Amino acid sequence: MTDNIAAVPPADGYLGDPAVRAEWDNRYADRHQLWSGRPNGALVAELAGLTPGRVLDVGCGEGADAVWLARGGWDVTAVEVSGVALERAAGHARDAGLTVRWVHATLTEAALPPASFDLVSAQYPALLRTPDAAAERALLAAVAPGGTLLLVHHAGMDTQHSHDSDFDPADYVWPSMVADLLDEDWEIQVDEQRPRVAPDGGAGAHHTDDLVLRARRLR
Ligand SMILES: C[S@@+](CC[C@H](N)C(=O)[O-])C[C@H]1O[C@@H](n2cnc3c(N)ncnc32)[C@H](O)[C@@H]1O
């Protein structure tokens, strides 16, 4: 593991675009708790039958998934741009007596050990799209041979155009863009839209359907 991976988030060790951190810090700071505090339904459903190993939680937010995974015996590394969210996440893990490696960085700047996670889980990760598909490639590069990528997003957002916000779907990475990069080294196990097992409460509770991409790295 690299030096920027620590048991508690470093105060000033953030690796990534300061504007992205500021945007998300502001969003989290607006509310005492932004998300539901429960693990995501698609993650819980897709993990049935998987043996716990090393997992990377991408865009872990306030840490509900990371804590749930650690409680289930996974060795968890969680990467997140918002220091506000990470402090909450680390607090939840501490309260539960669980250990998680928190990485305060954008996925692409996190200097994660390559090809070393049995599971890479990205639940509604809001990754910015770049011409070189850096975020998509970073997701794939983190998965160990034999490991699984699980990418879940809100259905409909990839085509949603809002007149009253700055949100432009063209700015973000969607599951179809990652699926497009999967070659013969990957087996697609799930690539579908389905009803979401929505958590009670939280800012995303109104989303009704998920896009779920699950792929296994063969070699
Ligand atoms: C919609 S929230 C989802 C949070 C969490 N996965 C959940 O399901 O509750 C997206 C999260 O991704 C984080 N994020 C955005 N861009 C990121 C990046 N490039 N690398 C890592 N985290 C990022 C945001 O700060 C935010 O916490």
Side-chain angles (χ1 to χ4, degrees):
M1 296 289 173
T2 56
D3 286 339
N4 64 312
I5 296 179
V8 291
D12 52 8
Y14 171 72
L15 297 171
D17 182 344
V20 177
R21 171 176 62 176
E23 181 191 336
W24 281 97
D25 270 348
N26 289 339
R27 202 161 162 208
Y28 280 104
D30 242 16
R31 296 212 203 165
H32 173 64
Q33 178 178 330
L34 189 55
W35 311 116
S36 71
R38 295 166 191 267
N40 284 298
L43 175 69
V44 173
E46 292 299 326
L47 254 62
L50 278 193
T51 304
R54 295 154 300 173
V55 58
L56 176 67
D57 183 0
V58 177
C60 69
E62 291 160 327
D65 286 350
V67 167
W68 180 80
L69 286 159
R71 189 173 281 126
W74 289 82
D75 176 356
V76 186
T77 300
V79 60
E80 169 57 54
V81 294
S82 167
V84 177
L86 269 187
E87 277 185 26
R88 292 178 191 170
H92 295 313
R94 232 181 356 256
D95 291 348
L98 296 165
T99 302
V100 172
R101 283 181 210 89
W102 305 107
V103 184
H104 192 193
T106 56
L107 171 65
T108 51
E109 300 298 321
L112 297 160
S116 57
F117 293 96
D118 303 300
L119 173 67
V120 172
S121 169
Q123 306 286 320
Y124 320 106
L127 299 170
L128 289 175
R129 194 176 172 197
T130 56
D132 59 354
E136 297 93 311
R137 292 185 194 288
L139 285 172
L140 299 180
V143 181
T148 299
L149 171 69
L150 177 62
L151 172 58
V152 179
H153 241 301
H154 299 302
M157 283 189 79
D158 49 343
T159 52
Q160 174 185 308
H161 282 277
S162 172
H163 298 295
D164 54 5
S165 83
D166 307 339
F167 176 78
D168 182 348
D171 291 340
Y172 294 92
V173 172
W174 303 105
S176 60
M177 296 167 188
V178 177
D180 285 348
L181 294 178
L182 298 175
D183 59 18
E184 66 281 356
D185 288 347
W186 293 83
E187 172 195 28
I188 296 182
Q189 298 175 313
V190 179
D191 187 6
E192 65 184 22
Q193 176 172 338
R194 65 187 187 213
R196 180 177 184 222
V197 181
D200 296 335
H206 58 289
H207 293 285
T208 58
D209 288 271
D210 282 331
L211 297 176
V212 179
L213 175 66
R214 173 179 168 159
R216 184 162 173 271
R217 183 170 179 177
L218 301 174
R219 53 193 154 257

Short mmCIF file of all heavy atoms in Angstrom, two decimals, residues 22 26-27 33 39 51 59 67 69-71 80 84 99 102 118 121-123 140 143 154 162 173 181 196 208 210:
data_model
loop_
_atom_site.label_atom_id
_atom_site.label_comp_id
_atom_site.label_asym_id
_atom_site.label_seq_id
_atom_site.Cartn_x
_atom_site.Cartn_y
_atom_site.Cartn_z
N ALA A 22 -13.71 20.72 -3.29
CA ALA A 22 -14.51 21.83 -2.74
C ALA A 22 -15.99 21.65 -3.05
O ALA A 22 -16.85 21.87 -2.19
CB ALA A 22 -14.00 23.15 -3.29
N ASN A 26 -18.61 21.12 0.03
CA ASN A 26 -19.73 22.05 0.23
C ASN A 26 -21.04 21.30 0.31
O ASN A 26 -21.91 21.61 1.12
CB ASN A 26 -19.80 23.08 -0.90
CG ASN A 26 -18.66 24.07 -0.82
OD1 ASN A 26 -18.07 24.23 0.25
ND2 ASN A 26 -18.32 24.69 -1.93
N ARG A 27 -21.18 20.32 -0.56
CA ARG A 27 -22.43 19.56 -0.57
C ARG A 27 -22.62 18.81 0.76
O ARG A 27 -23.71 18.80 1.32
CB ARG A 27 -22.39 18.58 -1.75
CG ARG A 27 -23.75 18.19 -2.14
CD ARG A 27 -23.88 17.62 -3.51
NE ARG A 27 -25.16 16.92 -3.51
CZ ARG A 27 -25.45 15.89 -4.25
NH1 ARG A 27 -24.56 15.43 -5.10
NH2 ARG A 27 -26.62 15.31 -4.17
N GLN A 33 -26.06 14.98 7.68
CA GLN A 33 -25.87 13.67 7.05
C GLN A 33 -26.53 13.74 5.68
O GLN A 33 -27.70 14.09 5.57
CB GLN A 33 -26.53 12.57 7.90
CG GLN A 33 -26.42 11.19 7.28
CD GLN A 33 -27.05 10.10 8.15
OE1 GLN A 33 -27.06 10.20 9.37
NE2 GLN A 33 -27.56 9.06 7.52
N PRO A 39 -26.12 0.53 3.79
CA PRO A 39 -25.40 0.06 2.60
C PRO A 39 -26.33 0.04 1.39
O PRO A 39 -27.54 -0.17 1.53
CB PRO A 39 -24.96 -1.36 2.99
CG PRO A 39 -25.89 -1.77 4.07
CD PRO A 39 -26.26 -0.51 4.82
N THR A 51 -16.80 -14.40 -1.72
CA THR A 51 -15.97 -14.58 -0.53
C THR A 51 -15.27 -13.27 -0.20
O THR A 51 -14.68 -12.66 -1.09
CB THR A 51 -14.91 -15.66 -0.80
OG1 THR A 51 -15.59 -16.85 -1.22
CG2 THR A 51 -14.09 -15.96 0.45
N GLY A 59 -15.46 6.43 -4.16
CA GLY A 59 -16.45 7.47 -3.84
C GLY A 59 -17.29 7.01 -2.67
O GLY A 59 -18.52 6.95 -2.75
N VAL A 67 -18.24 0.53 5.84
CA VAL A 67 -18.42 -0.03 7.19
C VAL A 67 -19.12 -1.39 7.10
O VAL A 67 -18.74 -2.35 7.77
CB VAL A 67 -19.21 0.96 8.08
CG1 VAL A 67 -19.69 0.30 9.36
CG2 VAL A 67 -18.34 2.18 8.39
N LEU A 69 -19.07 -3.45 4.60
CA LEU A 69 -18.13 -4.42 4.04
C LEU A 69 -17.12 -4.88 5.10
O LEU A 69 -16.83 -6.07 5.23
CB LEU A 69 -17.39 -3.79 2.85
CG LEU A 69 -18.22 -3.65 1.57
CD1 LEU A 69 -17.63 -2.59 0.64
CD2 LEU A 69 -18.32 -4.99 0.85
N ALA A 70 -16.60 -3.93 5.86
CA ALA A 70 -15.62 -4.28 6.90
C ALA A 70 -16.26 -5.20 7.94
O ALA A 70 -15.64 -6.16 8.40
CB ALA A 70 -15.07 -3.01 7.56
N ARG A 71 -17.50 -4.89 8.27
CA ARG A 71 -18.22 -5.74 9.24
C ARG A 71 -18.39 -7.16 8.69
O ARG A 71 -18.38 -8.14 9.43
CB ARG A 71 -19.58 -5.12 9.55
CG ARG A 71 -20.29 -5.79 10.70
CD ARG A 71 -21.56 -5.04 11.09
NE ARG A 71 -21.29 -3.88 11.90
CZ ARG A 71 -21.71 -2.65 11.63
NH1 ARG A 71 -22.43 -2.41 10.57
NH2 ARG A 71 -21.42 -1.66 12.44
N GLU A 80 -12.13 8.72 -1.56
CA GLU A 80 -13.18 9.74 -1.52
C GLU A 80 -12.52 11.13 -1.64
O GLU A 80 -11.49 11.37 -1.02
CB GLU A 80 -13.97 9.61 -0.21
CG GLU A 80 -14.93 10.70 0.14
CD GLU A 80 -15.99 10.97 -0.93
OE1 GLU A 80 -16.71 10.04 -1.37
OE2 GLU A 80 -16.09 12.14 -1.35
N VAL A 84 -14.85 16.18 4.32
CA VAL A 84 -16.00 16.24 5.24
C VAL A 84 -16.65 14.86 5.31
O VAL A 84 -16.94 14.34 6.40
CB VAL A 84 -17.02 17.30 4.76
CG1 VAL A 84 -18.25 17.31 5.65
CG2 VAL A 84 -16.38 18.68 4.70
N THR A 99 -11.79 -1.36 11.07
CA THR A 99 -10.67 -0.70 10.41
C THR A 99 -10.92 -0.61 8.91
O THR A 99 -11.26 -1.60 8.27
CB THR A 99 -9.36 -1.48 10.65
OG1 THR A 99 -9.15 -1.56 12.07
CG2 THR A 99 -8.17 -0.80 10.00
N TRP A 102 -8.63 4.72 4.60
CA TRP A 102 -9.29 5.86 3.94
C TRP A 102 -8.29 6.57 3.06
O TRP A 102 -7.18 6.89 3.51
CB TRP A 102 -9.84 6.83 4.99
CG TRP A 102 -10.75 6.18 5.98
CD1 TRP A 102 -10.46 5.91 7.29
CD2 TRP A 102 -12.08 5.70 5.76
NE1 TRP A 102 -11.54 5.29 7.89
CE2 TRP A 102 -12.55 5.16 6.98
CE3 TRP A 102 -12.94 5.68 4.65
CZ2 TRP A 102 -13.83 4.61 7.12
CZ3 TRP A 102 -14.20 5.14 4.80
CH2 TRP A 102 -14.64 4.61 6.02
N ASP A 118 -9.97 -7.66 -4.98
CA ASP A 118 -10.87 -8.75 -5.37
C ASP A 118 -12.24 -8.19 -5.78
O ASP A 118 -12.96 -8.82 -6.55
CB ASP A 118 -11.05 -9.72 -4.20
CG ASP A 118 -9.70 -10.27 -3.76
OD1 ASP A 118 -9.03 -10.90 -4.59
OD2 ASP A 118 -9.31 -10.02 -2.60
N SER A 121 -15.88 -1.68 -5.96
CA SER A 121 -17.29 -1.29 -5.89
C SER A 121 -17.38 0.21 -6.06
O SER A 121 -16.76 0.97 -5.31
CB SER A 121 -17.87 -1.69 -4.53
OG SER A 121 -19.15 -1.11 -4.35
N ALA A 122 -18.16 0.65 -7.04
CA ALA A 122 -18.39 2.08 -7.26
C ALA A 122 -19.89 2.29 -7.31
O ALA A 122 -20.54 1.88 -8.27
CB ALA A 122 -17.71 2.54 -8.55
N GLN A 123 -20.42 2.85 -6.23
CA GLN A 123 -21.87 3.02 -6.10
C GLN A 123 -22.21 4.49 -6.31
O GLN A 123 -21.87 5.33 -5.48
CB GLN A 123 -22.32 2.57 -4.70
CG GLN A 123 -21.88 1.15 -4.35
CD GLN A 123 -22.69 0.08 -5.08
OE1 GLN A 123 -23.90 0.21 -5.23
NE2 GLN A 123 -22.02 -0.96 -5.54
N LEU A 140 -10.96 -0.18 -13.86
CA LEU A 140 -10.59 -1.50 -14.37
C LEU A 140 -9.21 -1.92 -13.86
O LEU A 140 -8.99 -3.08 -13.50
CB LEU A 140 -10.60 -1.49 -15.90
CG LEU A 140 -11.95 -1.17 -16.57
CD1 LEU A 140 -11.81 -1.19 -18.08
CD2 LEU A 140 -13.02 -2.15 -16.12
N VAL A 143 -8.79 -3.78 -10.40
CA VAL A 143 -9.34 -5.12 -10.16
C VAL A 143 -8.25 -6.19 -10.37
O VAL A 143 -7.55 -6.19 -11.40
CB VAL A 143 -10.52 -5.40 -11.12
CG1 VAL A 143 -11.11 -6.79 -10.85
CG2 VAL A 143 -11.59 -4.33 -10.97
N HIS A 154 -27.50 5.60 -11.08
CA HIS A 154 -28.93 5.86 -11.17
C HIS A 154 -29.35 5.81 -12.64
O HIS A 154 -28.79 6.53 -13.47
CB HIS A 154 -29.27 7.24 -10.60
CG HIS A 154 -28.92 7.38 -9.15
ND1 HIS A 154 -29.44 6.55 -8.19
CD2 HIS A 154 -28.10 8.25 -8.50
CE1 HIS A 154 -28.96 6.91 -7.00
NE2 HIS A 154 -28.14 7.93 -7.17
N SER A 162 -31.13 18.90 -17.37
CA SER A 162 -31.87 19.76 -16.46
C SER A 162 -31.66 21.22 -16.86
O SER A 162 -30.54 21.63 -17.13
CB SER A 162 -31.39 19.53 -15.03
OG SER A 162 -31.97 20.48 -14.20
N VAL A 173 -18.94 9.80 -16.00
CA VAL A 173 -18.73 8.42 -16.45
C VAL A 173 -19.96 7.60 -16.09
O VAL A 173 -20.39 7.58 -14.93
CB VAL A 173 -17.49 7.83 -15.74
CG1 VAL A 173 -17.36 6.34 -16.03
CG2 VAL A 173 -16.23 8.59 -16.15
N LEU A 181 -15.19 -0.59 -22.59
CA LEU A 181 -13.74 -0.85 -22.50
C LEU A 181 -13.41 -2.29 -22.13
O LEU A 181 -12.24 -2.66 -22.08
CB LEU A 181 -13.12 0.09 -21.46
CG LEU A 181 -13.14 1.58 -21.79
CD1 LEU A 181 -12.53 2.37 -20.65
CD2 LEU A 181 -12.37 1.85 -23.09
N ARG A 196 -34.51 -0.27 -8.05
CA ARG A 196 -33.53 -0.06 -6.98
C ARG A 196 -34.13 -0.44 -5.64
O ARG A 196 -35.29 -0.12 -5.35
CB ARG A 196 -33.18 1.42 -6.95
CG ARG A 196 -32.18 1.81 -5.91
CD ARG A 196 -31.85 3.28 -6.03
NE ARG A 196 -30.82 3.66 -5.09
CZ ARG A 196 -30.83 4.78 -4.38
NH1 ARG A 196 -31.82 5.63 -4.50
NH2 ARG A 196 -29.85 5.04 -3.55
N THR A 208 -35.37 5.64 -8.56
CA THR A 208 -36.14 4.39 -8.47
C THR A 208 -35.46 3.19 -9.14
O THR A 208 -35.80 2.05 -8.84
CB THR A 208 -37.52 4.55 -9.12
OG1 THR A 208 -37.31 4.95 -10.49
CG2 THR A 208 -38.35 5.60 -8.39
N ASP A 210 -31.79 1.33 -10.90
CA ASP A 210 -30.33 1.29 -10.99
C ASP A 210 -29.88 0.80 -12.37
O ASP A 210 -30.55 -0.04 -12.99
CB ASP A 210 -29.76 0.28 -9.98
CG ASP A 210 -29.72 0.82 -8.56
OD1 ASP A 210 -29.60 2.04 -8.38
OD2 ASP A 210 -29.81 -0.01 -7.63
#
